Amino acid sequence: MRTLWQNCQVATMAQGSYSIIEDAAIVSNAGLIEWIGPRTEAPVQGIARTVSLDGVWVTPGLIDCHTHAVFGGNRSDEFERRLQGVSYADIAAQGGGIASTVRATRAASEDELFASARQRVQALMRDGVTTLEIKSGYGLDLANERKMLRVARRLADELPVAVRATCLAAHALPPEYAGRPDDYIAHICDQMLPALAAEGLVDAVDAFCEHLAFSPAQVEQVFIRARELGLPVKLHAEQLSSLHGSSLAARYQALSADHLEFMTEEDAVAMAEAGTVAVLLPGAFYFLRETRLPPMDALRRHGVKIALASDLNPGTAPGLSLRLMLNMGCTLFRMTPEEALAGVTLHAATALGMGDTHGTLEVGKVADFVAWQIERPADLAYWLGGDLPKRVVRKGHEIAH
Ligand code: DI6
Ligand code: FE
């Protein structure tokens, strides 16, 4: 049905700036934006329905391009212990940390994982999120990684949200492979990735490149296999130390390199040349009380595209609000509200390989948008979370949220 949405101001986010259209109108048809521009120039013929948006601000639907939203249990017990002075390393040595989430995820049924993830995804959606990425990485064997990825697919089937599923089998070493990381990497490359890809469960492949996870050489094996399977890659890189994983990611034309607090100027140059998006995760920075900031000036100077995401996970970023991440991107990383909004729209779409169809409000793109009752776009980064009054439109249809 051809619908005319009017009586609004639009921040289209084209080219990554607000790109404002005052007194705007949008025509959606068959789920796409058929026309957008000043209301006075809007087409009148063939419009089946006209909706007044009451003078509000319209932005693209928000995109959370880095989450681990599917997992069993949670780690609030570890949070309490850390606040009593027990170190993260001690907790990990006692079998906690990622290992405890792996145990809980393996023990959970697919239905149980779906039910808990659904609540978290709905929380993100209440913030205007219409697209998100979900990583596996707490199963760490074929059956359990499959279970997680199937839950990601099912969330997209049952909720009005687009989901990109990313295989993060190279997240941590499973207990069965203790002391044998190269064997686990070979298992991922030879067994897990081909099987999961053949089942259509994988949109991209990620890995955790860090001293406490996998080396650049091990990550490269995973990247080579992903490329053979025709899958794009991404990387958790430079979160706690500088291994130049982001440069490695750029060499493999990665969609994104994520975290990046310890990246160097040369890494930024490599990423800019490859078009690899820098995904910044201020929620993890905050929750871990990190102090080393990502090199914002170098990223800007070299023209690296900067996205922002929640990193929603039970260990380092139990964040259920992407809008809170807009605020943290500004307060902690000194992004401007405009950069932050571009980071959860245009650049987040590019970080998911969806730049041609999502992330801005332009003719031909999917009609996913949010009509916010706010004074100006900066309000989205200004309020510390909270449920701002809004109407959410996905594929041209208003959804309840
Ligand atoms: N980086 C992180 O901060 C999380 N994963 C990753 O690769 C940690 C995940 C967890 O602690 O459960
Ligand atoms: Fe992560």
Side-chain angles (χ1 to χ4, degrees):
M1 178 172 31
R2 186 170 281 126
T3 304
L4 174 71
W5 310 81
Q6 62 178 13
N7 194 11
C8 58
Q9 302 160 89
V10 178
T12 72
M13 302 316 290
Q15 282 93 50
S17 62
Y18 286 142
S19 305
I20 289 166
I21 307 172
E22 310 268 4
D23 191 9
I26 299 170
V27 176
S28 64
N29 189 20
L32 302 179
I33 297 172
E34 193 174 77
W35 188 92
I36 181 166
R39 179 186 52 81
T40 51
E41 297 169 20
V44 286
Q45 300 233 309
I47 300 293
R49 194 168 66 113
T50 298
V51 181
S52 171
L53 293 171
D54 303 325
V56 301
W57 276 94
V58 171
T59 69
L62 305 190
I63 299 174
D64 193 345
C65 67
H66 180 142
T67 89
H68 310 248
V70 175
F71 54 83
N74 78 34
R75 309 226 294 271
S76 58
D77 55 337
E78 292 182 7
F79 179 57
E80 274 192 306
R81 286 168 64 205
R82 278 203 289 134
L83 288 166
Q84 286 157 4
V86 185
S87 75
Y88 189 83
D90 285 344
I91 290 171
Q94 294 159 18
I98 292 182
S100 77
T101 299
V102 172
R103 279 194 301 278
T105 303
R106 287 179 172 184
S109 70
E110 197 170 305
D111 284 344
E112 288 166 343
L113 286 180
F114 175 79
S116 65
R118 184 177 200 273
Q119 290 184 7
R120 293 188 281 270
V121 170
Q122 284 179 317
L124 291 173
M125 290 172 68
R126 278 194 290 277
D127 243 0
V129 168
T130 50
T131 298
L132 79 158
E133 187 244 24
I134 298 178
K135 301 175 193 294
S136 65
Y138 291 118
L140 307 184
D141 61 25
L142 178 57
N144 286 293
E145 289 289 299
R146 176 188 287 126
K147 182 171 68 177
M148 292 185 72
L149 293 165
R150 283 170 53 98
V151 170
R153 289 283 187 247
R154 196 170 144 199
L155 287 161
D157 288 343
E158 299 196 20
L159 293 173
V161 67
V163 176
R164 280 289 182 274
T166 297
C167 182
L168 178 58
H171 189 197
L173 195 61
E176 310 81 76
Y177 282 88
R180 298 187 293 130
D182 288 328
D183 290 351
Y184 180 55
I185 292 293
H187 178 61
I188 291 172
C189 295
D190 298 342
Q191 310 287 330
M192 293 168 77
L193 282 183
L196 296 168
E199 291 169 38
L201 291 172
V202 183
D203 299 317
V205 174
D206 196 351
F208 189 15
C209 187
E210 198 56 66
H211 289 296
L212 51 81
F214 297 101
S215 68
Q218 289 163 338
V219 168
E220 188 160 12
Q221 296 306 307
V222 176
F223 281 3
I224 289 169
R225 194 73 184 108
R227 286 265 292 257
E228 287 169 0
L229 293 165
L231 295 169
V233 298
K234 316 166 76 70
L235 192 63
H236 284 70
E238 271 71 74
Q239 181 185 7
L240 306 169
S241 62
S242 175
L243 298 180
H244 302 290
S246 44
S247 288
L248 170 68
R251 279 207 298 288
Y252 283 82
Q253 279 81 47
L255 293 173
S256 70
D258 304 36
H259 285 291
L260 302 175
E261 282 84 344
F262 285 81
M263 76 184 291
T264 64
E265 178 127 18
E266 297 82 76
D267 295 326
V269 171
M271 287 177 64
E273 281 174 3
T276 297
V277 177
V279 177
L280 303 184
L281 303 167
F285 175 93
Y286 163 81
F287 199 70
L288 294 176
R289 305 182 74 218
E290 285 177 34
T291 53
R292 166 91 167 221
L293 290 165
M296 299 303 301
D297 290 344
L299 290 170
R300 289 182 180 120
R301 201 163 354 98
H302 295 291
V304 181
K305 295 169 190 142
I306 304 172
L308 266 179
S310 70
D311 198 17
L312 167 54
N313 78 68
T316 63
L320 294 171
S321 165
L322 188 58
R323 275 196 38 259
L324 182 56
M325 300 305 132
L326 295 183
N327 180 273
M328 288 189 181
C330 297
T331 51
L332 298 175
F333 295 168
R334 314 313 290 167
M335 295 173 80
T336 66
E338 188 173 33
E339 284 177 317
L341 187 58
V344 296
T345 54
L346 173 65
H347 300 316
T350 306
L352 296 181
M354 302 171 86
D356 290 343
T357 51
H358 292 73
T360 66
L361 297 177
E362 293 176 281
V363 170
K365 289 205 174 181
V366 174
D368 286 358
F369 54 86
V370 185
W372 307 88
Q373 266 183 49
I374 54 176
E375 299 283 319
R376 57 187 70 81
D379 289 22
L380 298 177
Y382 164 73
W383 297 107
L384 285 163
D387 188 5
L388 293 185
K390 75 189 82 62
R391 294 165 70 175
V392 180
V393 174
R394 172 145 193 273
K395 292 186 180 171
H397 293 283
E398 190 162 351
I399 58 173
H401 65 279

